[in-house]
Amino acid sequence: MPKHNNVIANAHFKKDWQGIAGSCRVRTWFNQAGRKKSRRVAREKKAAAIFPRPTAGALRPVVHPPTQRYNFKTRLGRGFTLEELKVAGISKKMAPTIGIAVDHRRRNRSEESLALNSKRLKAYKASLILFPRRTAKPKHGDSEAAELALAAQLKGKLMPIVKETKPLEMVTVTPEMAGFKAYHKLRTERMNVWQVGPRIKKAEEALKKAEEDAKVAKMK
């Protein structure tokens, strides 16, 4: 033990770099360059295997995350709804075959999301080049030979989300706006919501009492 008011010794002598007592206890990363090359080669092999499809995978919709904390943002969702596919004129069975993700459980809660994702599908459909299964026997809907010759594989993000910057509108503060008491208004409206039931009950009781008073007056 150390003398007086000195720090208690806490030396770390358990690091075994050379592996004398067994395996090396220190985590090393000497294969970082090799791993980097392996990942690059794997990406190239995957791109060659799925050619001419995009390397990013299937097209996904733009959705709002759940909860009040994140619902003002947008991100890519799991798949397009059946209603969005219907508006875009794409069948639910054909969509996965042309690189469109489908989510049959998701529902459109607003007209804005339906319009946004159907527009996204139409834009994708307009730039799509469909290769025939048999080059000698192309089917209806397949792209022409001239378009097939111009086809190139898309590498990178597939139709990324573009953030729209809305211009900031400046307004002059009017006396009416300056005199508006927002907190008082919120409290009043909240109280009105709370008092809906008691007020209805009070009105029914007053009506019932008036009817009873009218009956008593007739009896007299």
Side-chain angles (χ1 to χ4, degrees), residues 163-182:
K163 188 177 181 181
E164 297 180 2
T165 55
K166 296 181 180 178
L168 186 64
E169 185 181 355
M170 304 298 290
V171 296
T172 306
V173 180
T174 60
E176 184 182 355
M177 293 167 63
F180 179 70
K181 296 180 180 179

Side-chain angles (χ1 to χ4, degrees), residues 123-134:
Y124 176 78
K125 189 178 176 182
S127 61
L128 188 67
I129 297 176
L130 279 178
F131 280 70
R133 293 198 176 193
R134 295 181 182 179

Side-chain angles (χ1 to χ4, degrees), residues 21-220:
S23 60
C24 179
R25 295 187 180 183
V26 181
R27 181 67 179 268
T28 58
W29 188 234
F30 299 133
N31 60 342
Q32 184 178 7
R35 288 281 184 88
K36 182 180 178 182
K37 183 180 179 182
S38 299
R39 287 194 298 269
R40 180 173 57 80
V41 171
R43 283 195 300 270
E44 290 174 355
K45 284 183 178 179
K46 182 181 177 182
I50 65 173
F51 182 84
R53 301 179 187 89
T55 57
L59 179 71
R60 300 192 181 276
V62 178
V63 299
H64 287 271
T67 72
Q68 191 176 7
R69 183 174 182 179
Y70 301 106
N71 62 7
F72 66 95
K73 298 184 178 182
T74 53
R75 63 171 175 82
L76 295 179
R78 183 182 182 89
F80 290 90
T81 62
L82 302 181
E83 192 175 359
E84 290 166 355
L85 293 170
K86 187 177 181 181
V87 172
I90 302 169
S91 66
K92 62 181 180 180
K93 289 186 177 180
M94 184 183 179
T97 64
I98 58 175
I100 298 173
V102 182
D103 185 7
H104 66 277
R105 294 170 297 183
R106 207 179 115 241
R107 299 287 182 270
N108 289 106
R109 305 290 182 184
S110 64
E111 292 292 334
E112 289 80 3
S113 68
L114 178 63
L116 177 65
N117 286 315
S118 59
K119 182 181 177 183
R120 186 175 171 85
L121 282 169
K122 289 175 182 176
Y124 176 78
K125 189 178 176 182
S127 61
L128 188 67
I129 297 176
L130 279 178
F131 280 70
R133 293 198 176 193
R134 295 181 182 179
T135 312
K137 295 181 179 180
K139 292 185 177 180
H140 175 71
D142 294 336
S143 300
E144 297 179 358
E147 292 182 352
L148 297 177
L150 298 173
Q153 189 176 35
L154 177 66
K155 294 182 179 180
K157 293 184 178 180
L158 176 62
M159 295 182 70
I161 300 172
V162 180
K163 188 177 181 181
E164 297 180 2
T165 55
K166 296 181 180 178
L168 186 64
E169 185 181 355
M170 304 298 290
V171 296
T172 306
V173 180
T174 60
E176 184 182 355
M177 293 167 63
F180 179 70
K181 296 180 180 179
Y183 180 74
H184 183 266
K185 178 68 174 176
L186 287 171
R187 296 297 298 181
T188 304
E189 294 301 326
R190 185 180 293 179
M191 186 268 295
N192 289 336
V193 173
W194 287 344
Q195 293 296 324
V196 169
R199 284 174 180 170
I200 293 173
K201 185 178 179 182
K202 189 176 181 180
E204 290 176 352
E205 290 176 352
L207 181 63
K208 189 176 180 181
K209 186 179 180 182
E211 290 175 355
E212 290 177 356
D213 292 343
K215 288 180 180 178
V216 172
K218 285 181 179 180
M219 290 175 65
K220 290 181 178 179

